[in-house]
Amino acid sequence: MENYNQTSTDFILLGLFPPSRIGLLFFILIVLIFLMALFGNLSMIILILLDTHLHTPMYFLLSQLSLMDLNYISTIVPKMASNYLSGNKSISFIGCGVQSFFFLTLAGGEGLLLASMAYDRYVAICFPLHYAIRMSKRLCVLMIMGSWIMGSINSCAHTAYILHIPYCQSRAINHFFCDVPAMVNLACMDTWVYEYTVFVSTTLYLMFPFIGIACSYGRVLHAICRMQSTEGRKKAYSTCSTHLTVVTFYYAPFVYTYLRPRSLRSPTEDKILAVFYTILTPMLNPIIYSLRNKEVIGALRRLIQRIQSVKM
């Protein structure tokens, strides 16, 4: 482990990959996942933008989820890959702050956006006749803007703190990105008050939205069981199970990581769990939403037909 004195402005990211053939295989796998995430999320955004059948609140929210995931994974993986290929594990003080800011903004924003998507499905299934009123375009835009703004406000507070605390001689962050709890471990001061604010932020941005999502889907499942139409029941189950899969992959490792006391955390476990919500989830979201959604598949077929007709 390299030590940096207090006058240095650089941090060292110890990374995810061990210096061996297994590390190289993991690196190749992560890069492939990154490329799949870029292609999948970009394709979803373009498809929703071009197909008028998908110009509904549900797909507008989904396009924002893809945009967040696209930025999310791009904040983490390129720097991690660059460090591995160059052998230089350093990241500048400002660069670490910028990465931390975007990570926290997108993490908090996505948590709130997933709650908005759950509310959209709750209204669509439990109050179908009032859907256009309760889920208007104005409300949809407010939900999206609120997710981005609230995520940014939370991120500003945490980033400002980590950029102003004194660090000890070692500047080696035992993680593959500038994760706030991993950086706080290097501080030369008592940080128990700040750790409490991390707990509060996690509760507000992850636990409360998750509880809201659970309550929404409890009502939704109750409504689905009372449906007369078998086709409608199947469609509702498909949509809800898709969203619940995404929510579980995102919230579970995030909440488990950030709500544990420092004494119960281990760097290796934190890095493994972080792979789920920073790398795997952005790749899986477009796959889950496209393969299990007939409307998205239909839109993709129409787009392919349009491209073929233009060539002919």
Side-chain angles (χ1 to χ4, degrees):
M1 184 182 294
E2 294 184 50
N3 287 334
Y4 272 56
N5 59 40
Q6 291 181 342
T7 61
S8 173
T9 58
D10 288 352
F11 287 100
I12 295 293
L13 293 172
L14 296 185
L16 181 66
F17 313 111
S20 62
R21 287 186 178 180
I22 295 176
L24 178 61
L25 289 174
F26 277 131
F27 169 75
I28 294 170
L29 181 61
I30 293 295
V31 170
L32 290 175
I33 290 173
F34 172 69
L35 294 175
M36 288 174 63
L38 287 185
F39 177 77
N41 285 293
L42 194 59
S43 298
M44 189 69 76
I45 293 169
I46 293 171
L47 191 62
I48 293 171
L49 183 67
L50 295 179
D51 196 290
T52 55
H53 294 84
L54 301 181
H55 290 180
T56 62
M58 173 183 169
Y59 291 105
F60 190 27
L61 291 169
L62 180 56
S63 69
Q64 289 299 305
L65 180 66
S66 291
L67 180 61
M68 284 188 175
D69 282 338
L70 192 64
N71 287 282
Y72 204 177
I73 197 167
S74 298
T75 300
I76 307 295
V77 175
K79 179 59 179 174
M80 179 172 62
S82 172
N83 285 1
Y84 180 80
L85 291 173
S86 67
N88 180 12
K89 296 184 177 183
S90 67
I91 182 171
S92 69
F93 184 78
I94 296 300
C96 202
V98 169
Q99 187 185 60
S100 179
F101 171 78
F102 281 108
F103 166 73
L104 291 171
T105 297
L106 295 163
E110 185 160 330
L112 297 174
L113 187 67
L114 287 171
S116 300
M117 293 174 72
Y119 174 76
D120 171 75
R121 291 301 84 203
Y122 164 70
V123 174
I125 294 171
C126 297
F127 305 98
L129 299 179
H130 300 132
Y131 180 74
I133 299 172
R134 294 197 178 200
M135 199 63 198
S136 63
K137 288 184 178 179
R138 181 175 178 274
L139 178 60
C140 189
V141 171
L142 287 175
M143 284 179 166
I144 291 168
M145 289 179 61
S147 297
W148 283 99
I149 292 171
M150 293 298 290
S152 299
I153 292 172
N154 177 63
S155 179
C156 280
H158 288 288
T159 305
Y161 179 85
I162 63 169
L163 290 180
H164 287 87
I165 59 175
Y167 289 97
C168 298
Q169 185 177 6
S170 174
R171 292 237 174 176
I173 302 172
N174 198 354
H175 217 298
F176 57 87
F177 67 99
C178 293
D179 188 37
V180 170
M183 294 177 70
V184 169
N185 288 337
L186 306 179
C188 289
M189 59 179 287
D190 190 354
T191 58
W192 73 268
V193 174
Y194 176 69
E195 288 176 38
Y196 179 74
T197 66
V198 172
F199 178 86
V200 171
S201 292
T202 305
T203 302
L204 290 175
Y205 284 83
L206 294 175
M207 280 301 295
F208 282 175
F210 183 75
I211 291 170
I213 290 170
C215 291
S216 294
Y217 279 107
R219 296 287 300 274
V220 165
L221 290 173
H222 179 69
I224 290 174
C225 292
R226 296 168 58 187
M227 283 183 176
Q228 300 296 322
S229 169
T230 305
E231 185 64 28
R233 194 182 299 119
K234 285 182 179 179
K235 184 178 179 181
Y237 267 126
S238 176
T239 303
C240 293
S241 62
T242 296
H243 190 222
L244 282 173
T245 302
V246 171
V247 165
T248 302
F249 266 104
Y250 185 74
Y251 280 100
F254 223 138
V255 170
Y256 181 72
T257 298
Y258 280 81
L259 287 186
R260 282 181 301 161
R262 187 196 290 190
S263 59
L264 299 179
R265 300 178 65 170
S266 80
T268 301
E269 192 175 47
D270 283 355
K271 285 191 278 190
I272 293 171
L273 290 171
V275 169
F276 281 90
Y277 56 80
T278 60
I279 298 173
L280 290 180
T281 300
M283 182 270 291
L284 289 173
N285 283 354
I287 295 174
I288 292 171
Y289 277 110
S290 61
L291 293 180
R292 301 199 61 186
N293 192 308
K294 291 181 179 179
E295 291 177 343
V296 172
I297 293 174
L300 183 60
R301 286 172 179 166
R302 287 191 294 272
L303 181 61
I304 293 171
Q305 289 172 358
R306 284 166 58 186
I307 293 172
Q308 289 176 341
S309 63
V310 169
K311 286 182 178 180
M312 293 174 65

